Amino acid sequence: MAEFQPNTLYYGDNLEVLRQFPSECADLVYLDPPFNSNRSYNVIFREAAGAEAEAQIEAFGDTWHWTTHTAEVFDEVASRGDDVGRLLQAFVAALSHNDMTAYLTMMAPRLIELRRIMKPTASIYLHCDPTASHYLKTLMDAVFGAGNYRNEIAWRRSLPHGNVSRSFGRIHDTLFFYVRSDGDATWNQPVVPYDEPDERTRRQYRNWDEERQDWWQPTSLLNPNPDRPNLTYEFHGHTRVWRWTRERMEREDAAGNIHVPPGGGVPRYKRYLGEQRGRLVQDIWDDIPAMPSEERLGYPTQKPEALLERIIEASSNPGDLVLDPFCGCGTATVAAQRLGRRWIGIDITWLAVDLMQNRLRDTFPDEFADGVPVDGEPADEAAALALAERSKFQFQFWAVAKLGGRPRGGAPQKGPDQGIDGVTTFPERDPEDPDSPTLQHRQVIISVKGGGTGVGDVRDLRGVIEREDAAIGVLVTAGTRTRAMEREAAAAGLYRSPWSGGTHPRIQIITAGEIVRGEAIDMPSRMGMRQYQQAPRATERSEQPRMDDT
């Protein structure tokens, strides 16, 4: 059972994890659930050449398709007899059984659980693209109540492009903003500071006050509510329903803050530019770039930290808990940590969890010097074997990551020519010119077997490293390592480093239990080499337009 613990990554199905969390524990929820014909579930790794991690696509290709499991979830939600259940039935009646209705069916119970764990003061931001946004808006209305809808925010995620197509350019994402309870939600008005007033601001504040050395604009002093007898009185020859009491009006007038137009027009209030916190943020966000180069880590679904910082600052306070149930590469957790919030990140792929661990450690080395807590990681051999039994792909990602490797692109296939599940590298001198300062990177091939293994697998791996001209091959097995396998591995001989002169077995066999106990690949030192791009160390906040803290 997942133990509720802030500042922790949770590895597993977010629905199962959320169901084990206590009610009313989260102050803010941000989620970016994937659905796009060109975007596979949580694909957050690409090879250097740009190929997607096809094995992961295959692993989760059925996540949003209509299957027997989807039908079971549909029956569970439909049987509730409430607005959500009736809406889901209407979706299926209108659209039939397809990927879209499967997606909505799988999202419904997750949104229900998210609402349960939200505090009365909490807000939720659902990030999506236009593929399913209109359906998700209706589903959010059913789960959270149409009265708790606040905004449909359009974030311009890219600049206009010149691609020729038969439609208008698609350059924005949508964020749906809802609150848990009307009137109670945390809200800190976001603003963009007036560092340099734009042309529109200069047009508004066009009057110069020589004494105060500031620009000002006249604004209305009238009350929008006409039924306010206590605020109805005569002021500078005009009887109106005023915004303030007579005493406040006279005080502001004496301070020189009231402008009476020439000829005796209706008095107006002087709003000075220097006293303004900034331009109020509206529901079109075009001031946050898609991905600043200094933040880019190579994750296709990565969001800019400034985007998450704006959301977190607007709808939470320091010390509050921010939850992201589709965490991906972890931008929400990084932004929350930087802004002094607690956080929880959940993802169903070990690849994502491993990447988030690395990112948090790189960004906050002092806070996570002892590592990032992960709930759901196999803690013993039995748990590792259970993972292999449940999902060979997740076992594969876990084993590769624990051995310091990264996944190799290309969907797994049977046969000796497709035995590469992961790779890592180490620097080496050219054996033909050991005195050269130029280093070459030698490959270590990792082949993971989630079931039984034998001598044939060792032979296959030997063929792979010869074909790939790799230095070392590692066979990871969820089964046992037999004497025959060890003899076959020993027959492959040793790799001798021309740099250090050290020797290392060319074929190595490592069991799941040994990985749990910390077994490492026997190979030359990698000298600080990394398998993923390093996240920049944390600054106070990202260098983007910020919200006022007041």
Side-chain angles (χ1 to χ4, degrees):
M1 177 176 180
E3 180 182 354
F4 177 74
Q5 184 64 45
N7 292 3
T8 298
L9 300 175
Y10 287 81
Y11 169 47
D13 184 335
N14 54 25
L15 181 59
E16 299 307 315
V17 175
L18 291 171
R19 282 175 169 168
Q20 297 174 54
F21 283 177
S23 298
E24 299 187 0
C25 62
D27 297 282
L28 172 63
V29 174
Y30 167 84
L31 67 158
D32 183 11
F35 185 86
N36 189 305
S37 59
N38 296 317
R39 177 182 173 195
S40 300
Y41 185 85
N42 271 338
V43 178
I44 57 174
F45 178 86
R46 287 180 183 267
E47 294 278 40
E52 292 186 345
E54 297 294 340
Q56 192 170 353
I57 296 174
E58 181 173 321
F60 295 97
D62 291 335
T63 303
W64 308 116
H65 297 325
W66 195 278
T67 64
T68 301
H69 176 62
T70 312
E72 292 172 352
V73 175
F74 173 81
D75 289 341
E76 176 186 342
V77 177
S79 65
R80 292 165 55 94
D82 57 8
D83 289 345
V84 180
R86 288 189 290 271
L87 178 63
L88 208 57
Q89 292 181 66
F91 278 146
V92 172
L95 304 175
S96 190
H97 297 146
N98 54 36
D99 289 356
M100 180 60 73
T101 52
Y103 174 70
L104 297 170
T105 296
M106 301 304 286
M107 282 302 302
R110 287 164 172 80
L111 291 173
I112 291 169
E113 286 301 314
L114 288 170
R115 183 181 184 277
R116 178 186 64 81
I117 68 168
M118 290 169 60
K119 293 180 180 178
T121 55
S123 300
I124 182 170
Y125 291 76
L126 189 151
H127 191 144
C128 57
D129 65 19
T131 308
S133 60
H134 42 301
Y135 298 115
L136 286 170
K137 169 64 168 65
T138 309
L139 185 58
M140 294 279 283
D141 280 347
V143 174
F144 293 94
N148 289 325
Y149 164 76
R150 286 294 175 267
N151 288 106
E152 177 179 338
I153 300 165
W155 170 53
R156 190 183 69 180
R157 54 179 166 78
S158 68
L159 295 174
H161 47 73
N163 295 341
V164 178
S165 65
R166 299 178 63 85
S167 64
F168 297 105
R170 300 183 178 96
I171 63 171
H172 85 278
D173 280 359
T174 296
L175 291 99
F176 292 120
F177 169 29
Y178 284 74
V179 297
R180 176 67 171 79
S181 300
D182 186 25
D184 295 329
T186 299
W187 178 246
N188 305 305
Q189 175 65 59
V191 299
V192 177
Y194 290 131
D195 295 331
E196 286 292 336
D198 56 22
E199 183 178 349
R200 177 185 175 188
T201 303
R202 292 184 185 278
R203 287 199 305 267
Q204 291 176 325
Y205 293 85
R206 60 183 181 275
N207 302 290
W208 178 251
D209 188 316
E210 187 66 31
E211 182 178 351
R212 297 196 188 188
Q213 292 291 295
D214 199 0
W215 296 93
W216 61 272
Q217 67 166 317
T219 58
S220 175
L221 282 168
L222 301 181
N223 198 305
N225 184 357
D227 188 20
R228 297 295 298 273
N230 61 319
L231 296 178
T232 303
Y233 54 86
E234 186 271 336
F235 183 71
H236 278 287
H238 296 272
T239 300
R240 297 287 191 276
V241 182
W242 301 104
R243 182 193 304 176
W244 300 322
T245 63
R246 182 185 294 276
E247 292 75 14
R248 169 76 183 276
M249 290 283 278
E250 292 174 350
R251 188 167 62 249
E252 296 288 347
D253 195 15
N257 294 331
I258 303 297
H259 169 65
V260 180
V266 177
R268 294 171 70 82
Y269 178 66
K270 293 181 178 180
R271 187 179 301 277
Y272 286 89
L273 177 61
E275 297 175 352
Q276 307 312 307
R277 293 182 301 155
R279 174 173 57 84
L280 299 184
V281 174
Q282 308 297 306
D283 62 2
I284 296 178
W285 296 359
D286 58 1
D287 59 329
I288 299 177
M291 188 53 57
S293 58
E294 63 271 17
E295 289 184 23
R296 193 172 293 119
L297 301 175
Y299 312 146
T301 60
Q302 184 180 356
K303 301 299 184 296
E305 292 179 21
L307 180 72
L308 273 299
E309 287 176 5
R310 174 170 290 175
I311 292 169
I312 291 170
E313 287 183 312
S315 295
S316 72
N317 295 313
D320 284 353
L321 178 70
V322 178
L323 184 144
D324 184 350
F326 294 91
C327 209
C329 64
T331 301
T333 64
V334 170
Q337 178 73 25
R338 176 179 284 111
L339 295 174
R341 274 67 166 173
R342 300 173 301 149
W343 51 265
I344 282 176
I346 309 172
D347 207 279
I348 198 172
T349 71
W350 180 259
L351 177 59
V353 172
D354 182 57
L355 290 169
M356 283 188 283
Q357 285 181 290
N358 282 299
R359 185 177 185 183
L360 286 164
R361 282 195 298 259
D362 291 342
T363 309
F364 308 101
D366 296 333
E367 291 90 332
F368 297 107
D370 296 329
V372 181
V374 178
D375 187 292
E377 176 182 3
D380 52 36
E381 183 173 10
L385 296 178
L387 176 61
E389 180 68 23
R390 183 170 67 251
S391 170
K392 65 177 182 178
F393 294 108
Q394 286 306 305
F395 178 73
Q396 170 185 309
F397 297 139
W398 170 79
V400 169
K402 297 300 286 185
L403 291 176
R406 57 183 175 84
R408 174 74 176 262
Q413 300 177 29
K414 295 180 180 180
D417 292 337
Q418 301 295 331
I420 306 176
D421 298 316
V423 294
T424 186
T425 58
F426 60 86
E428 191 64 278
R429 299 289 187 190
D430 185 348
E432 302 298 327
D433 187 9
D435 295 326
S436 171
T438 303
L439 297 178
Q440 58 178 274
H441 297 280
R442 297 304 308 274
Q443 278 196 108
V444 176
I445 302 296
I446 304 173
S447 178
V448 183
K449 304 298 180 183
T453 51
V455 173
D457 297 300
V458 181
R459 294 196 189 104
D460 290 345
L461 179 57
R462 184 173 179 178
V464 170
I465 65 173
E466 291 174 355
R467 185 191 72 230
E468 299 290 324
D469 190 27
I472 295 170
V474 179
L475 177 64
V476 176
T477 176
T480 59
R481 179 175 47 211
T482 65
R483 288 183 179 273
M485 291 169 63
E486 291 176 341
R487 286 195 297 269
E488 187 67 29
L494 301 173
Y495 171 78
R496 183 179 298 275
S497 170
W499 190 349
S500 67
T503 58
H504 311 272
R506 286 204 74 202
I507 299 291
Q508 301 173 30
I509 304 171
I510 301 178
T511 67
E514 289 169 338
I515 291 178
V516 172
R517 294 189 290 273
E519 184 79 14
I521 300 173
D522 183 355
M523 66 180 184
S525 170
R526 295 194 299 184
M527 298 179 60
M529 291 179 61
R530 302 176 57 84
Q531 297 306 305
Y532 304 108
Q533 291 176 266
Q534 184 170 2
R537 187 167 180 146
T539 55
E540 183 176 353
R541 61 184 61 199
S542 61
E543 298 300 323
Q544 297 295 327
R546 278 302 115 236
M547 296 189 311
D548 193 284
D549 290 330
T550 58

